[in-house]
Amino acid sequence: MSSDQPQFKRVSFARYIHISQVDKLSGEDGDALLKALQLAPEAKDVFNVIKYQDDARQLTLLHYEDFDQSAFPALRQYWTISLEVSSARFRSYEGSLNPPILHRKELLLSTDHPKQKLYGSLTRSAEEIGLFKDPQRIGFKRAWDHLLRASGYQVSGQALIPLGNELHPEESGGADGFFEGIARHKTAMVRYGFSVPMQCLAKFGFLDGARSVFDYGCGRGDDIRGLEANDISVRGWDPHYLPDGVLESADIVNLGFVINVIEDRDEREEALKRAYSLAKQLLVVSAMLAGEDAVAGKPFGDGIITSRGTFQKYFTQGSLKEYIEETLNEEALPVAPGVFFVFSDKNAEQAFAYGRQQSRRNLLRNVERVRQHKLSASERRDQFYQQHKELIDRLWDRILLLGREPEADELEDSLAVLETFGSLRKAFRFVWGVYEDEGAAYEEARELRSDDIRVYISKLLFEKRRQYKDLERGLQRDVKAFFGDYKEATLQARDLLLSLKETEAIYAACRRASDQGLGWLDHEDALQVQSSHVEQLPAILRAYINCGLVLYGDITNVDLLKIHVRTNKLSLMVYDGFDTDLLPRLRRRIKIDLRSLDFDEFFYGEAYPQTYLYRKSRLMNEEDVGYEDQIAFEEQLDRLGLLPAEGSYGPSIEQFDALLASLRYKVEGPVVVRASHIPSLDEPLWPLFEISGFH
């Protein structure tokens, strides 16, 4: 190829080129780049790679960090410019633990580039080792680092060299290296089909073996057997199946689907009060909710007699909360539809409520990034550090998780710290000396923790919950460390609530979250975000969501949330197969009006037709399990023209499946393959022509 012609790297239906060849671009490619820079001027002095789509509908400006020095550069940020509608979308990978990785970078350069042959030599080495056998599995840092280690190689400059016999702990890098020290097996539970209340207890960490459980109305004892198999102290009683069981106190008492089957109102109330009296820390109350699945029957008292001759009292979420609170004169915290926590230990209640607001994953991301930090040569030579490295690193991890220096009772190995250093103050001085260049991570941790407190207290204010005379000890320390006193913390929490009236502030936070890969900001200025990503959102958005959940409760069983910026609404969506399927099916949608605190619920499959969740990858990010498979799957559908355009919800499931079949394709596992079925001449091809919203 002539050096006057640009050299492109081709991947599927796109071409990539390095910025060093910009002066060789002409015609449509040159015009497209000029238009892109007009729409995203902030990218002008940043990008170093251009991606051209073959259909000429969009262009992407990419910034790979250390392109020249790094053998396999990581993507730091990019701007995707729609040339059709003249819009630009930004995405940042700054701070990401699993950014995309660039391979074969010599293909982006001209043949006369001074480093083209050097980079090509690296690619040939990778091919000889077999690193490129499965290109869909190596596009992101974690998978690539794992493959390198598993193959017995490491990167040195622009070359691959064999690993030595040993690696220093800090050189193992990545999430794997950090998490190896965490005893994950302690959190694993043998599964025996636990009831929903027990699943809620497990999700919130109450079934860790440190607390005793009493199952009031245990039925056949399925939960009891499951808990016993996990070495959890548990007892039970049931008037029919276990009448000889002794009613005894326990840290946690479960009253699971009991009050809804007691037809006598006084007896129902007595059962609730007695169960609460046995709970040292927490009572879990659950009941059947009224809905489209409610069993029809003969009216009896305040419930019905079913066709099986049993009594059922159906509640709504609101009426169940009201009944529990009026009966016990205690606050009932919703954790799932039909499931409430009622705390008898108020310190435990505060710790639980506060813990639900913490940016736990963000804090752990700080720790993991520091785990990848390589110490200087002088620090490596420090004999004392090397001798006590694990203890010192754990202490620094704890500082980052709290955003402040911990007290002795907040350290699991406080005795070892005191024996090693003589005092906590000396320990902290030494740790700060070792991690003196990690001040940015510490400041980020402090900001996250202070946001957590503001979000938590704003939730208390919005719900008009009574304030506790004495805060839980850990929360007291946080308030003092970040705000000075509770009055200042309350003022800042009130300011956070008042900021929810500022539409542009909400929009800016949604835009920032979308830029960081925490959801998808759609054409309606609404942010769609996975429930598992909510705790990473900016404080103002978490406060917004909390306001919408005052009645509904916890989002544990919700897959997606949609923040409607302009209309002060919040939608919650539940999908069949959201975590496992490439095309999840919408099953339920709850739309909450924040002005009236009322909500409407819609069920899909009967009253409304089910639809697939198209382009699920937009709601994921590179750290989510299955992200690579989802991207590859959607690229296949895109090449076939089967994905709806942006702004379209797409066809129903029946329409999409018919269209796929008419093109003689089927979904098989994570890929789209040719179907063996050949449509007859009588089969209509209407889906090809009548479905709107496709490219």
Side-chain angles (χ1 to χ4, degrees):
M1 175 179 293
S2 170
S3 60
D4 294 333
Q5 296 298 316
Q7 175 76 26
F8 290 95
K9 172 185 175 180
R10 174 163 289 281
V11 179
S12 298
F13 288 83
R15 297 170 296 137
Y16 294 76
I17 189 171
H18 188 253
I19 192 174
S20 60
Q21 299 193 81
V22 165
D23 59 343
K24 298 179 181 180
L25 295 174
S26 61
E28 292 184 358
D29 288 341
D31 293 341
L33 177 59
L34 290 175
K35 183 176 181 180
L37 290 174
Q38 290 173 350
L39 294 170
E42 65 276 17
K44 181 177 181 181
D45 299 322
V46 180
F47 81 98
N48 49 21
V49 172
I50 310 167
K51 175 185 177 182
Y52 288 97
Q53 293 290 143
D54 282 356
D55 59 11
R57 288 187 296 112
Q58 68 180 32
L59 176 151
T60 304
L61 304 175
L62 307 103
H63 171 212
Y64 283 95
E65 192 169 20
D66 297 327
F67 182 93
D68 294 329
Q69 287 74 35
S70 176
F72 302 100
L75 183 61
R76 186 174 181 85
Q77 54 198 344
Y78 69 79
W79 293 259
T80 296
I81 293 88
S82 171
L83 301 174
E84 284 186 318
V85 297
S86 298
S87 65
R89 185 177 294 276
F90 175 72
R91 170 73 161 93
S92 172
Y93 290 94
E94 187 172 1
S96 173
L97 301 176
N98 191 34
I101 298 296
L102 177 64
H103 303 100
R104 304 179 187 272
K105 62 180 182 177
E106 74 281 357
L107 298 181
L108 283 72
L109 305 173
S110 63
T111 54
D112 57 358
H113 190 282
K115 293 187 177 181
Q116 205 259 4
K117 291 183 179 179
L118 175 64
Y119 299 157
S121 177
L122 172 67
T123 293
R124 287 191 295 275
S125 297
E127 290 173 336
E128 291 170 0
I129 296 169
L131 297 177
F132 294 159
K133 287 182 179 179
D134 191 357
Q136 289 186 357
R137 295 290 184 270
I138 60 173
F140 293 86
K141 185 178 187 303
R142 280 179 172 165
W144 179 244
D145 288 347
H146 176 77
L147 178 61
L148 280 173
R149 291 194 300 271
S151 301
Y153 283 83
Q154 61 182 335
V155 176
S156 177
Q158 298 294 324
L160 294 169
I161 62 174
L163 289 171
N165 292 329
E166 294 182 357
L167 276 177
H168 292 291
E170 67 270 19
E171 292 176 351
S172 62
D176 296 334
F178 169 61
F179 283 116
E180 281 174 357
I182 294 180
R184 286 182 171 177
H185 65 281
K186 292 184 178 180
T187 64
M189 298 189 64
V190 181
R191 297 299 178 190
Y192 286 87
F194 285 113
S195 65
V196 172
M198 289 299 173
Q199 291 180 35
C200 289
L201 287 170
K203 286 178 181 177
F204 291 111
F206 287 101
L207 299 184
D208 56 359
R211 302 170 181 84
S212 58
V213 178
F214 184 79
D215 199 352
Y216 190 112
C218 61
R220 299 177 184 273
D222 292 338
D223 281 334
I224 291 178
R225 286 187 292 275
L227 295 176
E228 287 176 338
N230 286 278
D231 297 323
I232 295 174
S233 175
V234 59
R235 297 287 187 274
W237 171 84
D238 189 272
H240 181 77
Y241 293 102
L242 194 60
D244 296 332
V246 178
L247 291 172
E248 56 184 271
S249 297
D251 296 320
I252 299 170
V253 174
N254 177 45
L255 188 68
F257 303 102
V258 171
I259 59 176
N260 52 286
V261 299
I262 300 176
E263 72 280 1
D264 185 271
R265 299 187 186 190
D266 292 337
E267 186 180 346
R268 184 189 308 154
E269 183 176 311
E270 178 60 27
L272 180 56
K273 290 180 177 178
R274 183 183 299 174
Y276 182 67
S277 70
L278 298 174
K280 297 178 183 178
Q281 277 192 17
L282 167 65
L283 171 67
V284 188
V285 183
S286 54
M288 297 289 289
L289 297 183
E292 63 176 10
D293 296 326
V295 180
K298 181 180 179 180
F300 184 86
D302 59 355
I304 62 168
I305 301 295
T306 70
S307 59
R308 297 172 56 197
T310 61
F311 175 81
Q312 282 289 348
K313 159 66 176 173
Y314 289 102
F315 293 88
T316 64
Q317 183 83 341
S319 67
L320 179 57
K321 177 180 173 67
E322 182 179 357
Y323 175 73
I324 295 170
E325 292 180 341
E326 287 184 351
T327 303
L328 300 179
N329 195 30
E330 296 288 349
E331 185 165 17
L333 303 179
V335 294
V339 184
F340 289 81
F341 284 180
V342 186
F343 285 87
S344 55
D345 183 334
K346 296 308 173 185
N347 279 338
E349 180 177 2
Q350 287 191 62
F352 169 73
Y354 178 40
R356 292 172 78 183
Q357 304 304 316
Q358 293 181 359
S359 304
R360 186 67 60 184
R361 288 183 61 189
N362 276 333
L363 293 170
L364 290 174
R365 287 157 66 90
N366 270 332
V367 175
E368 187 170 343
R369 286 203 297 270
V370 174
R371 268 302 135 265
Q372 301 174 27
H373 166 73
K374 289 182 170 56
L375 299 175
S376 67
S378 61
E379 290 167 334
R380 289 174 187 275
R381 289 194 297 268
D382 190 316
Q383 185 177 359
F384 186 82
Y385 173 78
Q386 293 297 337
Q387 184 179 355
H388 303 287
K389 183 181 186 305
E390 291 186 6
L391 180 65
I392 294 167
D393 287 348
R394 285 199 302 272
L395 184 55
W396 177 246
D397 293 349
R398 191 62 178 162
I399 290 173
L400 286 184
L401 285 172
L402 293 177
R404 58 176 171 81
E405 294 178 349
E407 300 290 341
D409 59 358
E410 294 175 310
L411 294 173
E412 293 183 1
D413 43 14
S414 59
L415 183 59
V417 172
L418 294 175
E419 289 177 347
T420 303
F421 293 94
S423 70
L424 281 181
R425 181 50 47 202
K426 291 181 180 178
F428 293 143
R429 280 202 300 269
F430 188 88
V431 169
W432 282 113
V434 171
Y435 285 101
E436 61 182 351
D437 57 347
E438 291 298 333
Y442 176 68
E443 289 304 318
E444 185 179 353
R446 284 187 60 81
E447 183 179 351
L448 289 170
R449 290 288 283 190
S450 62
D451 280 350
D452 291 339
I453 298 172
R454 292 193 303 134
V455 171
Y456 171 63
I457 297 178
S458 70
K459 185 173 185 289
L460 297 180
L461 294 174
F462 187 80
E463 294 176 346
K464 298 180 180 179
R465 289 170 56 182
R466 59 184 182 278
Q467 302 294 303
Y468 300 109
K469 183 179 180 181
D470 297 313
L471 296 174
E472 185 265 335
R473 181 177 295 180
L475 184 54
Q476 283 181 342
R477 292 167 175 167
D478 285 344
V479 167
K480 183 177 180 180
F482 302 121
F483 300 95
D485 55 39
Y486 190 69
K487 180 179 179 181
E488 177 62 24
T490 302
L491 288 174
Q492 293 197 29
R494 185 172 288 112
D495 288 342
L496 179 60
L497 282 179
L498 292 175
S499 70
L500 299 183
K501 298 179 180 179
E502 301 172 10
T503 300
E504 292 309 313
I506 298 291
Y507 175 78
C510 287
R511 184 64 182 263
R512 188 162 68 253
S514 178
D515 290 348
Q516 296 170 354
L518 299 176
W520 175 258
L521 188 61
D522 64 24
H523 65 290
E524 297 176 339
D525 287 347
L527 181 72
Q528 299 181 52
V529 60
Q530 290 189 56
S531 59
S532 59
H533 292 166
V534 165
E535 58 192 15
Q536 299 182 60
L537 293 175
I540 190 173
L541 298 185
R542 285 189 281 153
Y544 184 104
I545 290 170
N546 280 339
C547 293
L549 297 178
V550 167
L551 179 60
Y552 182 79
D554 190 71
I555 57 173
T556 303
N557 298 312
V558 172
D559 296 309
L560 288 183
L561 297 90
K562 185 173 183 179
I563 298 173
H564 303 264
V565 177
R566 308 297 178 186
T567 58
N568 295 115
K569 291 182 173 61
L570 177 71
S571 293
L572 314 175
M573 279 79 76
V574 180
Y575 286 85
D576 290 326
F578 182 84
D579 293 325
T580 57
D581 295 351
L582 299 167
L583 288 170
R585 299 167 179 244
L586 180 61
R587 176 161 51 90
R588 188 157 58 99
R589 179 169 63 93
I590 303 98
K591 195 162 190 176
I592 303 170
D593 189 323
L594 271 67
R595 294 190 182 96
S596 63
L597 285 183
D598 194 12
F599 67 87
D600 295 312
E601 195 163 8
F602 307 91
F603 295 89
Y604 294 82
E606 295 184 5
Y608 303 94
Q610 277 193 304
T611 59
Y612 285 130
L613 173 61
Y614 300 104
R615 301 188 186 275
K616 174 184 166 184
S617 65
R618 296 188 302 197
L619 307 167
M620 305 172 69
N621 65 42
E622 67 283 354
E623 296 180 20
D624 290 333
V625 175
Y627 181 71
E628 294 93 332
D629 285 340
Q630 188 70 39
I631 288 290
F633 173 74
E634 291 177 9
E635 286 179 349
Q636 284 188 287
L637 293 185
D638 245 340
R639 289 197 293 270
L640 295 171
L642 292 175
L643 286 183
E646 184 175 347
S648 169
Y649 291 102
S652 68
I653 289 175
E654 292 76 13
Q655 289 175 323
F656 180 88
D657 289 347
L659 175 58
L660 194 64
S662 70
L663 296 175
R664 295 184 57 195
Y665 282 97
K666 64 178 180 178
V667 177
E668 192 171 278
V671 296
V672 179
V673 298
R674 275 289 186 181
S676 57
H677 168 69
I678 300 176
S680 70
L681 295 176
D682 295 330
E683 291 187 28
L685 296 180
W686 60 265
L688 287 169
F689 309 105
E690 296 185 6
I691 296 179
S692 62
F694 283 89
H695 297 313

